[in-house]
Amino acid sequence: MIRFVSRAMVALGSAAMALGAAPMAAAQAPTRAVTLASDPQEAALTCFYAAVVTGKGKTEAAAEASWFLFDLTRQQTEAAPESFVEKLEATASLPPTNLDTLAADAPALVPLCAARFPLISSKRVVTLPADPFTREMQCFALTSYLAGMAESELEDSGESPFGQRVGALADRLAAKLTEERAKAAGIADAEAMQRQFSLSLRDISPLGNPMKVLEACEAMK
C-alpha cells in the first residue's frame, strides 16, 4: 500500500507539468468553441486536467478531478479488476492531447465534462457498503490515495488542512484494519492485501463525487 501511494505521486507529476504550462498557453491560445473527444480516454484525461487547471492547483480540486481517471480506469479494467492501480498509475502519467491550449479551453470544458460525466458533479449523499471491513477498506484506499496526492508537489507535503484531513482519516482506518481482520476476510499476505487495496479503490470510484465519498467515510463510526 505504501508503494502505491509513493508511485501515484510520480504519476500525478504530469498534472503539475500541465499547471506549469498553463499560463503561457492562456496567453497564446485564441478564444474558440471547444468540444470533448468521443474517445473515452482522451475525454477523461482532458476533463481531469481541465478540472485541475480551473481549480488553480489546489489539492481538493485535483482530488475531485481524480474521479475522471478512476472512472476511465474502472472501465478499462473490467476484465482484470485487480490491475486497477497499475492501470491508474499508467493513465495518470499521460499528458492531455490539448496541453498547448488547456488553460484557455479549461473554463469552457468544465461544463462539458459535467454533462458527459454527471456523477462527478453529483452532490447526492453517498451510501457505503454495509459490510464494515469492505467499507473501511474502500475508504482507506481512497483516503490513502488522496493523502498521497496531498503530499505531492501539487501542494505542500501534506501540511495543508486538506492533507491533514485525509491523512488523519487514512491513519485512523489503517489502525482498524488489523492483520487479524484481514485474515478473517481471506487476505493472507501482503500481496493479497495489495490486490484488495486495488480492488477497493476501484470499487469505491462509482459511488459518487469523491468529496462526497470522503464525507461518508468521515461519518463512519
Side-chain angles (χ1 to χ4, degrees):
M1 287 181 277
I2 298 299
R3 181 188 63 80
F4 162 63
V5 171
S6 61
R7 286 182 61 185
M9 296 314 94
V10 176
L12 284 165
S14 55
M17 290 173 58
L19 290 169
M24 183 178 295
Q28 295 176 351
T31 301
R32 63 190 184 286
V34 297
T35 59
L36 274 179
S38 58
D39 177 72
Q41 178 165 298
E42 185 176 341
L45 283 167
T46 296
C47 289
F48 169 70
Y49 283 105
V52 170
V53 169
T54 56
K56 304 185 186 304
K58 291 185 179 297
T59 305
E60 292 92 328
E64 190 167 48
S66 291
W67 185 88
F68 293 114
L69 303 186
F70 290 165
D71 186 63
L72 171 68
T73 307
R74 185 169 51 83
Q75 295 178 48
Q76 292 176 330
T77 57
E78 286 183 357
E82 67 282 354
S83 67
F84 179 82
V85 164
E86 182 180 356
K87 181 63 176 176
L88 177 63
E89 291 172 348
T91 302
S93 68
L94 299 173
T97 58
N98 63 333
L99 182 59
D100 291 342
T101 60
L102 181 63
D105 293 346
L109 285 168
V110 168
L112 298 181
C113 293
R116 174 78 72 86
F117 306 95
L119 194 59
I120 188 66
S121 56
S122 170
K123 302 304 180 184
R124 65 181 176 83
V125 176
V126 169
T127 301
L128 297 172
D131 177 69
F133 183 83
T134 300
R135 66 172 177 260
E136 288 168 13
M137 193 67 208
Q138 288 184 4
C139 286
F140 173 72
L142 178 65
T143 53
S144 293
Y145 181 90
L146 298 183
M149 182 179 291
E151 292 169 7
S152 75
E153 294 181 1
L154 292 179
E155 203 164 83
D156 55 9
S157 301
E159 295 302 318
S160 68
F162 182 78
Q164 293 175 350
R165 174 187 175 187
V166 293
L169 181 54
D171 289 344
R172 177 163 65 87
L173 290 168
K176 296 179 68 175
L177 294 167
T178 63
E179 184 177 347
E180 291 74 20
R181 290 185 69 197
K183 287 182 177 179
I187 302 169
D189 53 34
E191 184 178 347
M193 178 59 84
Q194 182 70 22
R195 262 196 319 272
Q196 186 60 50
F197 182 93
S198 184
L199 292 171
S200 295
L201 189 60
R202 184 183 192 275
D203 290 344
I204 202 170
S205 63
L207 295 184
N209 178 288
M211 303 306 284
K212 298 303 290 185
V213 176
L214 177 58
E215 290 177 10
C217 291
E218 289 174 322
M220 285 192 309
K221 300 301 182 183

